[in-house]
Amino acid sequence: MKTIFLFFIIIVAIIVIALILIYIKYFRPLRPKESGYEYVYVELNGTVRELDEEEIKYLNEEFSPADGARPYIKTSYKDLTPDGKIYGYINRNRVPKNIIIETKANA
């Protein structure tokens, strides 16, 4: 009976650790809450900029999950496209703190 209980505790601990690691990798904010739109754009050279009005409108559209024209939202700054490029939309709080988000004034 003790072996089954110990096995159960070990399985629960592994699941909890896995969930914590998933949270840290995909959901933990990397920067404090900032003003501005929820998403920003990572350029080909790795710089990050605010979105313009057309991009915001595009991201606010409803898309079917099977729609090939839907925007690709990166989960991590270092995520690459299938062709090995770094560009794409990303949630503002997933951009590392050491990366400056350029505004229209300093872009």
Side-chain angles (χ1 to χ4, degrees):
M1 189 68 168
K2 284 184 178 181
T3 307
I4 293 173
F5 181 71
L6 182 60
F7 180 73
F8 177 75
I9 294 298
I10 291 171
I11 295 298
V12 168
I14 290 170
I15 291 170
V16 167
I17 290 170
L19 290 173
I20 290 170
L21 292 174
I22 288 169
Y23 172 78
I24 289 170
K25 178 161 176 58
Y26 295 106
F27 301 105
R28 180 181 55 102
L30 300 179
R31 52 191 319 126
K33 189 164 177 74
E34 300 173 342
S35 62
Y37 188 66
E38 177 181 7
Y39 295 98
V40 292
Y41 191 80
V42 180
E43 298 285 356
L44 272 170
N45 63 5
T47 60
V48 180
R49 65 169 173 79
E50 297 283 351
L51 303 180
D52 60 34
E53 293 300 319
E54 285 216 12
E55 291 170 315
I56 292 172
K57 185 178 171 185
Y58 174 61
L59 287 180
N60 285 327
E61 286 181 36
E62 293 273 333
F63 290 94
S64 161
D67 187 348
R70 72 185 185 284
Y72 168 64
I73 308 291
K74 298 160 58 93
T75 56
S76 167
Y77 174 79
K78 293 182 179 180
D79 285 351
L80 302 177
T81 62
D83 59 349
K85 305 283 190 325
I86 194 169
Y87 69 88
Y89 298 103
I90 187 170
N91 196 304
R92 173 185 297 277
N93 67 7
R94 296 298 298 159
V95 176
K97 283 188 252 185
N98 62 325
I99 306 288
I100 296 170
I101 299 175
E102 297 177 357
T103 60
K104 290 186 188 338
N106 65 0

